[in-house]
Amino acid sequence: MRRWSTAAASTTRLSRSSDLTSVTRRCIRQKYSVLAARPAPVAEQTTSIPPSDATSTVPPLRPDPYTLLTPQLNQLRDRLLNLLGSAHPTLTDIAKYYFLHPSKQLRPLLVLLFSHATNGLGRDWELKKWAAECEGARGRAEELDQPLSRPDVLNDWNPNMPDHTSSFDSVFSLIPPRPPLEPPVPPPHPSNIHSAPSLASPSFLLPTQLRLAQIVEMIHVASLLHDDVIDSSDLRRGVPSAPAAFGNKLTILGGDFLLGRASAALSRLGESEVTELIASVIANLVEGEILQLSKVGQVQSEKMVDARVGGGKESWNVYLRKTYLKTASLMAKGARASVVLGGSKEGEVWKEVAYAYGRNLGIAFQLVDDILDYEAGEATLGKPGGADLRLGLATGPALYAWEEHPEMGPLIMRKFEKDGDVELARDLVRRSSGVERTRDLARAHADKAKETIQLLPDSDAKIALEVLTERVVKRTW
Ligand code: FPP
Ligand code: MG
């Protein structure tokens, strides 16, 4: 980390002064309408930070991460539903089902906060901004909804977007292709590349970043649909789960459909680094689930002598790897992808900051989730406490308790399958410092996330990201 500190110290000062007067003629003629996605400047929002008062003992009000982006998050969810139309109404219903109940939208929030906290800093920011404004440069909101193939190639019937998707009823006749339009010429690269980068002012989001926020939520929801089949969950957030409402087969297919629509939208972003990052998250989610199904808590019997002699260590390794794959990967790579879309290049620190933050925040988030399974019941979780143990999972609190109570070992090994195992394990955790130690570990990851973003220039979004690290540990939403 230390080697980045000099660059970071200077980020808040000088402004990269390139302007857009050099964009192509075509772009100059065009109205800059796409930046309708531009949120109210941070300073105008009700949660903006008041000027500091040296004499006051009252700590300054810090922006609430959700309040800062409520309009964007609401709009994002509404527009996302348009992406999910299909010729088969049941499929549409399943795909939309989990979007219709209020959720934390933590992953889109992360994408949007990182966009705000870093837009303007990356070497290619001006290019990205130009692409968001220039017709034909493929970064405008309207263009993100266009299919990659020609409209007469049947690929996807979405009744919400009937003008560029087709139904299957007409006889196909050959339509010769039209010569492609000349792509617009990007503006010359700013010459003052060596000046210290600064945040875009006023702060705004690119259409590609808003779409990325939708994509990460679609992938997350697809994984929940599959997860509820695997876990045989009857409830999610206190309402009947998708498998309870539609059955297992349709739920799995609904998840696959979401992934299909997310993949098409992802390729439309036109950034292969982002495609690779997000596609690898889908693989990570599956790997994490497989790891959880097969390994967590299942220690090789010869290592199983004692938690302090190898067995516990091996279980922790598997548990933390699974936690990264299942939970933190989407946050880390989603945050990183948002910064890439904002023009951050290799050799710049910004996307590394995003990844390190998301990875630590994600692990902290999952550790706290695992604690809640011991502390809370249906009222807070929308599912009964002890669900993880009933699924055979030894999470942080049980693994720490094992170090203090060797009797936990055999229970973990047989995945809490015998009558009374779940109750005994809960009791052992209660009589140990497992919950406190897991919370300490979550706090350490959250602190690391907060430390990481100190490399970013000051902004409301940065403060909101700091607040988020505290919220995740306290779980106050
Ligand atoms: C919730 O876990 C589930 C996940 C975080 C990921 C599940 C991943 C898969 C099922 C792999 C398939 C992935 C895709 C993209 C189709 P949890 O059971 O701990 O949390 P819960 O209490 O919310 O159910
Ligand atoms: Mg589950």
Side-chain angles (χ1 to χ4, degrees), residues 222-224 226-227 230-231 236 259 285-286 289 326 383:
S223 80
L224 294 184
H226 285 204
D227 180 70
I230 294 171
D231 289 353
R236 173 156 299 275
L259 288 182
L285 286 164
V286 176
E289 191 66 27
K326 252 190 79 173
K383 60 180 184 181

Side-chain angles (χ1 to χ4, degrees), residues 84-155:
L84 303 181
S86 122
H88 199 304
T90 311
L91 193 52
T92 309
D93 290 347
I94 304 165
K96 290 182 176 178
Y97 187 62
Y98 284 158
F99 292 109
L100 300 178
H101 304 289
S103 76
K104 293 187 283 287
Q105 290 190 284
L106 177 58
R107 293 145 190 90
L109 180 69
L110 257 184
V111 165
L112 300 186
L113 284 176
F114 256 102
S115 303
H116 272 306
T118 57
N119 278 354
L121 302 177
R123 208 159 56 233
D124 274 356
W125 165 248
E126 290 297 343
L127 193 63
K128 297 293 181 182
K129 193 169 160 232
W130 167 82
E133 293 163 343
C134 184
E135 191 181 341
R138 296 184 143 208
R140 301 191 314 142
E142 299 87 323
E143 286 166 335
L144 296 180
D145 282 335
Q146 298 296 317
L148 282 181
S149 49
R150 289 168 21 177
D152 55 313
V153 176
L154 294 179
N155 58 2

